[in-house]
Amino acid sequence: ENDGLKEHVEILERNSKTIPMLQEKVEELLDENTGLKQNLGSSLDKGAMLEKVTEQNKATMEHQESLINDLYERISNLNDDNDSARSQIRNLKEEVRVIEPLQSK
C-alpha cells in the first residue's frame, strides 16, 4: 500500500513540474502567434509579397493553434491524472487509518 502511495506521490510531483513547463510553452506560442497576426496585418501593404507572407503566416498560425490545443489537452490529462492520484492517496490513507489500529491489536 505504501508503494502505491509513493507511486501516486511521484506522479503528482512529476506532473507538478510538467504542467508549468507546458503552460509556459503555451504562453510562448500565444505570444508568437500574436506577433504573427501583427505581421499578417502589416503585410497587407506589401504588394507582391502579400500572398506568400499571408499563406506562410496562416500555415504557421494553424500549426501553432494545433500545438496549443495539443498542449491544453495534455495539461487537462495531467490534471486528470493528478486528480486520480489524489483520490488514490486519500483512499490509501483511509485504508492505512483503518488497518493500523487492527494491526496493533
Side-chain angles (χ1 to χ4, degrees):
E1 288 172 352
N2 282 343
D3 289 341
L5 181 62
K6 183 188 282 187
E7 179 183 340
H8 291 295
V9 168
E10 288 171 359
I11 289 170
L12 283 173
E13 289 172 350
R14 197 169 47 247
N15 287 350
S16 70
K17 294 175 185 169
T18 304
I19 289 172
M21 290 187 318
L22 292 174
Q23 288 171 325
E24 182 178 315
K25 185 63 177 172
V26 166
E27 292 301 323
E28 289 173 11
L29 289 171
L30 287 171
D31 289 345
E32 193 173 329
N33 210 2
T34 299
L36 288 169
K37 287 177 183 176
Q38 291 169 348
N39 288 345
L40 179 60
S42 68
S43 71
L44 294 175
D45 321 350
K46 295 189 177 161
M49 294 298 291
L50 171 64
E51 196 168 329
K52 180 180 178 185
V53 171
T54 301
E55 287 305 312
Q56 289 173 342
N57 282 347
K58 182 179 176 187
T60 302
M61 287 188 318
E62 288 171 356
H63 178 68
Q64 288 182 340
E65 286 171 1
S66 173
L67 290 174
I68 288 167
N69 289 335
D70 290 345
L71 289 171
Y72 275 130
E73 185 174 336
R74 287 176 63 189
I75 289 169
S76 176
N77 289 339
L78 289 171
N79 282 331
D80 290 346
D81 290 348
N82 282 349
D83 291 343
S84 176
R86 284 187 188 99
S87 176
Q88 290 292 329
I89 289 169
R90 280 192 299 275
N91 292 340
L92 290 167
K93 284 181 178 179
E94 180 62 21
E95 286 181 34
V96 168
R97 188 188 68 76
V98 169
I99 292 171
E100 280 181 342
L102 296 175
Q103 289 177 337
S104 65
K105 289 184 179 180

